[in-house]
Amino acid sequence: MRKITLLICSMLFLFSSVAFASLDDTKLSIEKQYGDYRLLIDSDNQLWTKADWEAKGAKRAKAASYRYSFSRQGIGVQMEVMYANNKPDALVVAQRFTPDMPITIKEMKKYFPEVYALTKAPKANFFATYSSISRNFQEGQSPVSMGVLIRELSNGNYYTLLAFNVQDEGRLLKNIEYISEDTYIREFTIERASRTTVHDTMDTSKPDWQPIKNYFN
């Protein structure tokens, strides 16, 4: 058995399987959509192959997050997911997508149609901010972040939040005015947003999350 110690960030993301993202997706539906996980990180921050985990690891530690690998239109994608437990019907608790190369906002529909569907929701709010939206990004971040908030409660008390680590062509994005359909996405997450967070960042006279147009069309 081979184990590699890694440091991982705590995650808060959410995602769905077939048509659109949801806080109610499960381990079973994720694996139907993306296949079996390739690697697993346990609660002690150790990395396991699927075979080693199922043979020995599960008897010694608790799973923390699962890593999946798949391809979209010739681009490899790494996806990390945290579940509430290890049962097939366990709800997704956290999710991050990292393509091998950045894609533009207008290409989301081509590479991630199941995520793009969320941007078409009737209560989708598009915004940008000079504050960090997510603490779950792993790549370097621009001074500007972009997000989509779906103002429909899911899994009880949370809204669904798409957070995008955006970049300009070959450089960091420093001004919200520079965002366009050609802006690059380096990685993105699907997370929970509490009603308190939304109230404090969007529903004020001077919102930190500033409304922008929908560049995903």
Side-chain angles (χ1 to χ4, degrees):
M1 178 189 67
R2 182 184 180 188
K3 297 186 294 184
I4 306 173
T5 301
L6 294 177
L7 296 176
I8 60 173
C9 297
S10 61
M11 301 170 64
L12 300 170
F13 341 166
L14 276 300
F15 181 75
S16 174
S17 55
V18 180
F20 53 88
S22 167
L23 302 188
D24 301 317
D25 202 10
T26 66
K27 187 171 183 290
L28 180 61
S29 61
I30 286 287
E31 292 182 352
K32 284 183 176 180
Q33 172 95 354
Y34 301 103
D36 290 337
Y37 68 92
R38 302 292 182 86
L39 299 169
L40 181 144
I41 301 174
D42 69 20
S43 54
D44 295 321
N45 296 338
Q46 293 182 324
L47 188 67
W48 301 75
T49 65
K50 184 176 187 293
D52 285 343
W53 175 256
E54 293 180 351
K56 299 179 180 180
K59 300 176 183 178
R60 304 181 183 183
K62 293 182 179 180
S65 62
Y66 295 73
R67 288 186 176 180
Y68 300 82
S69 299
F70 57 93
S71 179
R72 288 289 175 82
Q73 303 291 333
I75 293 181
V77 181
Q78 299 296 318
M79 182 179 72
E80 189 167 335
V81 185
M82 181 184 293
Y83 298 103
N85 54 57
N86 295 328
K87 298 179 180 179
D89 61 350
L91 291 174
V92 171
V93 174
Q95 194 162 14
R96 176 177 56 242
F97 297 80
T98 307
D100 287 346
M101 58 183 292
I103 63 171
T104 61
I105 292 175
K106 65 184 179 184
E107 292 176 319
M108 276 292 293
K109 183 177 181 179
K110 173 182 177 181
Y111 291 104
F112 298 98
E114 72 277 34
V115 180
Y116 169 80
L118 259 184
T119 70
K120 309 301 290 184
K123 296 185 178 181
N125 294 174
F126 304 86
F127 69 90
T129 177
Y130 293 101
S131 301
S132 178
I133 301 173
S134 174
R135 60 182 177 181
N136 301 307
F137 293 141
Q138 290 190 332
E139 305 293 330
Q141 297 182 51
S142 295
V144 171
S145 296
M146 186 184 73
V148 180
L149 177 75
I150 313 303
R151 282 183 177 266
E152 296 180 3
L153 292 178
S154 183
N155 196 16
N157 299 310
Y158 297 97
Y159 296 114
T160 299
L161 172 67
L162 303 181
F164 298 92
N165 186 348
V166 291
Q167 300 175 357
D168 206 344
E169 186 174 7
R171 70 190 73 183
L172 298 179
L173 191 64
K174 299 180 180 180
N175 195 307
I176 290 176
E177 295 180 358
Y178 299 157
I179 295 177
S180 73
E181 64 178 9
D182 295 314
T183 296
Y184 284 93
I185 298 169
R186 185 64 193 91
E187 60 184 335
F188 63 94
T189 68
I190 305 178
E191 314 188 13
R192 293 174 177 174
S194 69
R195 284 178 285 185
T196 299
T197 296
V198 173
H199 175 76
D200 292 344
T201 55
M202 297 191 81
D203 301 334
T204 63
S205 58
K206 295 182 179 180
D208 185 44
W209 292 2
Q210 303 176 30
I212 60 173
K213 67 176 291 185
N214 177 7
Y215 293 103
F216 291 89
N217 291 324

